[in-house]
């Protein structure tokens, strides 16, 4: 039966690979791609760094579902992500841009569309094993998360030496921890029959995630680190996209609120299970995005 899948972050890297897999394996899916550039039929233009733009895009999709211009909504895939070389980049709403794209935009889409899902429905948010904050999971490339009040995390300058690349990477790992906190809270709050899942692709060189980094870091990511995909330390873009498609399409059976590490449902970091943080994060995001 025809159904709609809404997806962000499909223009490059893991998202583009997942998009190709979904199109190949699910011919009944009508893909709605949210992006800054036109990716063809089904594109809804939006800047994920602007909450007004995200809200307009979500409203457009919701209205098209209500009019019957789109088949029933079956999945939302929040795959878009960004990492900056500082923790000072500010979007038009006054929020730090990493937090806006990686956390606020997803929450706004989820809340705008949650009552439009057909069941069983699925929300898949791309997380990262950088949220563990240890060498085993990120090879020492990204500092671990530094949790603070969500009110602070959402604003520029939340971390020490905020103008540095280390602060920018800390903002990234912390935003990915927030993503997992949110998935746990969604599992408790979303309508019955709509499951929320966090997906970790592992370390994936060549995605363009740190395209704003300096030339030395970009050279290492593009020319040296891809060799690690031949080892258990890293995942190729094609494999990461395939694993994401598996979660979206239900090939990987992932219960509501679960964390999928590539192909397996497993535990996220001990720090990621904190109901008080999750409730506080929900309440702050509601104020920032829903009003």
């Amino acid at each position: 039966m025809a159904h709609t899948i809404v997806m962000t972050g499909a223009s490059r890297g893991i998202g583009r690979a997942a998009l190709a897999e979904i199109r190949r394996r699910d011919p009944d899916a009508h893909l709605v791609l949210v992006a800054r550039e036109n990716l063809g039929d089904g594109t809804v233009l939006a800047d994920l760094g602007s909450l007004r733009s995200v809200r307009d895009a979500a409203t457009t999709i919701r209205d098209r579902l209500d009019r019957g211009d789109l088949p029933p909504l079956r999945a939302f895939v929040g795959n878009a992500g960004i990492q900056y070389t500082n923790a000072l980049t500010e979007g038009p709403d006054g929020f730090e841009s990493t937090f806006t794209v990686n956390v606020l935009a997803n929450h706004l889409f989820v809340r705008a569309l949650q009552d439009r899902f057909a069941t069983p429905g699925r929300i898949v948010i791309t997380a990262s094993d950088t949220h563990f904050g240890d060498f085993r999971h990120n090879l020492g490339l990204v500092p671990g998360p530094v949790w603070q009040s969500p009110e602070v995390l959402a604003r520029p300058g939340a971390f020490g030496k905020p103008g540095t690349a280390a602060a920018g990477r800390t903002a990234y790992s912390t935003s990915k921890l927030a993503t997992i906190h949110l998935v746990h809270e969604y599992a408790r709050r979303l309508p019955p029959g709509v499951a929320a899942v966090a997906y970790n692709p592992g370390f994936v060189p060549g995605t363009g995630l740190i395209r704003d980094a300096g030339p030395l870091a970009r050279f290492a990511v593009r020319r040296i680190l891809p060799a690690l995909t031949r080892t258990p330390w890293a995942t190729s873009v094609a494999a990461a996209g395939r694993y994401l498609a598996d979660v979206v399409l239900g090939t990987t059976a992932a219960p509501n609120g679960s964390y999928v590490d590539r192909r397996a449902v497993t535990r996220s970091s001990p720090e990621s299970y904190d109901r008080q943080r999750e409730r506080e994060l929900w309440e702050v995001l509601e104020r920032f995005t829903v009003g």
Side-chain angles (χ1 to χ4, degrees):
M1 182 179 295
H3 53 270
T4 293
I5 298 175
V6 176
M7 185 174 184
T8 70
S11 62
R12 57 174 60 87
I14 296 168
R16 184 160 60 185
L19 175 62
E21 283 284 324
I22 293 169
R23 281 176 168 161
R24 181 178 66 83
R25 292 161 52 185
D26 188 1
D28 290 331
H30 184 107
L31 275 299
V32 175
L33 308 178
V34 181
R36 282 197 289 188
E37 65 267 30
N38 193 327
L39 302 178
D41 291 346
T43 302
V44 174
L45 297 177
D47 175 4
L48 298 183
S50 162
L51 294 186
R52 175 178 291 182
S53 183
V54 172
R55 187 174 291 107
D56 288 347
T59 300
T60 295
I61 295 167
R62 192 177 64 218
D63 290 347
R64 290 174 64 188
L65 287 164
D66 290 348
R67 291 195 305 267
D69 296 341
L70 293 172
L73 177 63
R74 193 68 70 180
F76 168 75
V77 187
N79 178 66
I82 194 69
Q83 179 179 307
Y84 288 91
T85 55
N86 60 63
L88 292 170
T89 304
E90 182 176 319
D93 307 282
F95 299 116
E96 193 272 323
S97 293
T98 308
F99 197 85
T100 301
V101 174
N102 297 356
V103 183
L104 291 169
N106 284 327
H107 188 69
L108 209 162
F109 272 118
V110 167
R111 295 289 280 128
L113 298 176
Q114 69 175 52
D115 58 355
R116 265 61 175 186
F117 277 90
T119 56
R122 178 161 288 199
I123 293 164
V124 181
I125 310 294
T126 298
S128 168
D129 49 12
T130 61
H131 86 277
F132 280 90
D134 57 16
F135 184 86
R136 174 173 171 264
H137 288 90
N138 62 35
L139 306 179
L141 296 172
V142 180
V146 178
W147 191 261
Q148 302 175 69
S149 163
E151 295 267 8
V152 174
L153 294 176
R155 303 293 181 179
F159 306 99
K161 299 182 179 179
T164 65
R169 294 184 184 120
T170 302
Y172 176 79
S173 63
T174 306
S175 74
K176 291 304 184 178
L177 175 59
T179 287
I180 299 169
H181 283 324
L182 270 181
V183 164
H184 295 161
E185 194 68 14
Y186 291 154
R188 290 187 283 268
R189 292 180 181 264
L190 292 180
V194 181
V197 178
Y199 162 70
N200 168 45
F203 174 57
V204 187
T207 62
L209 178 65
I210 59 170
R211 54 191 174 273
D212 294 325
L216 184 61
R218 290 200 306 270
F219 176 81
V221 168
R222 292 174 181 172
R223 302 298 184 185
I224 299 173
L225 297 180
L228 291 176
T229 59
R230 302 185 185 94
T231 76
W233 288 99
T235 312
S236 70
V237 171
R242 185 168 65 252
Y243 301 152
L244 175 55
D246 287 341
V247 178
V248 174
L249 299 178
T251 305
T252 296
N256 191 17
S258 62
Y259 176 79
V260 178
D261 182 1
R262 285 160 277 199
R263 290 179 289 183
V265 175
T266 187
R267 298 276 293 179
S268 50
S269 72
E271 185 183 5
S272 70
Y273 298 92
D274 188 320
R275 284 203 174 198
Q276 182 175 342
R277 281 187 188 178
E278 290 158 5
R279 183 173 58 253
E280 181 184 11
L281 180 61
W282 170 279
E283 291 170 353
V284 170
L285 297 192
E286 288 290 283
R287 184 153 37 84
F288 287 164
T289 62
V290 179

